[in-house]
Amino acid sequence: MAILKIAKLGHPVLVKKTNEINNLNKLNLKKIVFDMSETIIDADGIGLAAPQVHLSHRMFIYRNPDIEDDDKINITVFINPIIEKLSDETEDDWEACLSVPGMSGLVRRFKRIKYSAIDLNGNNIAGEVEGLHARVIQHEFDHLNGVLYTSRLAHKSAFGYSEEM
Ligand code: NI
């Protein structure tokens, strides 16, 4: 395994739309996921999308905030995900991103969403989630379309250095 270099705000890979993954084996996706897992743990992040490690693929990993993980590491892998809001209801909350280190912003997200994706074994996964879990998925999904949370601020002024807020 290896800790990967994280692309920071300003790198073109972060604003590029990613490519769908058609052949799981050809890509050696297991190695990518292992390396991304090590990277997210090292950086103490909640989610990490492929573009953040300079890979323009439609996949991300995240730690499910609904699971208590005291000693066991919980990493969920979403490949070629699709998400849809379950209602128009939104929530504002603070977000940060490993590609925008030291900063945080108040971001408006849909409160409840449904998702479908493929997992690392090629199985279809789907579900409905809300709150922080829905927020994490929406944040990571945005990365696959070249969108950073900084373009979804609830208020223009609700953004700055975490240590100042
Ligand atoms: Ni992010």
Side-chain angles (χ1 to χ4, degrees):
M1 298 215 292
I3 293 169
L4 305 170
K5 190 175 180 207
I6 296 175
K8 309 259 168 55
L9 179 66
H11 194 292
V13 74
L14 293 174
V15 291
K16 208 174 132 191
K17 200 170 187 292
T18 52
N19 301 308
E20 209 157 283
I21 295 171
N22 297 315
N23 188 332
L24 267 59
N25 300 322
K26 200 177 148 199
L27 255 182
N28 201 357
L29 210 57
K30 284 207 166 114
K31 173 161 172 43
I32 293 173
V33 167
F34 285 142
D35 288 349
M36 284 176 70
S37 301
E38 200 174 22
T39 305
I40 201 177
I41 290 160
D42 175 69
D44 200 22
I46 298 172
L48 187 67
Q52 293 183 274
V53 290
H54 307 86
L55 298 168
S56 209
H57 304 313
R58 287 194 85 71
M59 63 86 62
F60 60 77
I61 66 170
Y62 70 96
R63 302 202 230 198
N64 183 341
D66 291 338
I67 297 175
E68 297 272 338
D69 59 342
D70 291 337
D71 22 64
K72 223 177 88 187
I73 296 158
N74 100 67
I75 300 270
T76 304
V77 183
F78 273 25
I79 297 161
N80 298 338
I82 295 169
I83 65 171
E84 201 181 315
K85 65 180 178 184
L86 285 170
S87 78
D88 287 329
E89 198 181 345
T90 60
E91 270 178 341
D92 295 348
D93 209 343
W94 293 92
E95 291 186 15
C97 179
L98 293 175
S99 293
V100 193
M103 313 291 286
S104 34
L106 191 68
V107 182
R108 186 156 298 163
R109 300 284 186 192
F110 291 112
K111 192 179 174 187
R112 297 175 62 238
I113 62 159
K114 65 175 180 181
Y115 65 82
S116 61
I118 298 166
D119 71 12
L120 195 51
N121 298 316
N123 300 315
N124 292 311
I125 48 173
E128 297 184 2
V129 289
E130 61 175 49
L132 179 60
H133 195 168
R135 176 172 296 276
V136 171
I137 291 174
Q138 287 171 89
H139 176 120
E140 300 311 324
F141 184 83
D142 267 351
H143 275 297
L144 307 185
N145 293 326
V147 175
L148 298 176
Y149 80 83
T150 48
S151 61
R152 292 205 190 275
L153 297 176
H155 313 284
K156 272 184 189 159
S157 57
F159 175 67
Y161 289 99
S162 307
E163 62 183 24
E164 299 286 0
M165 295 189 292

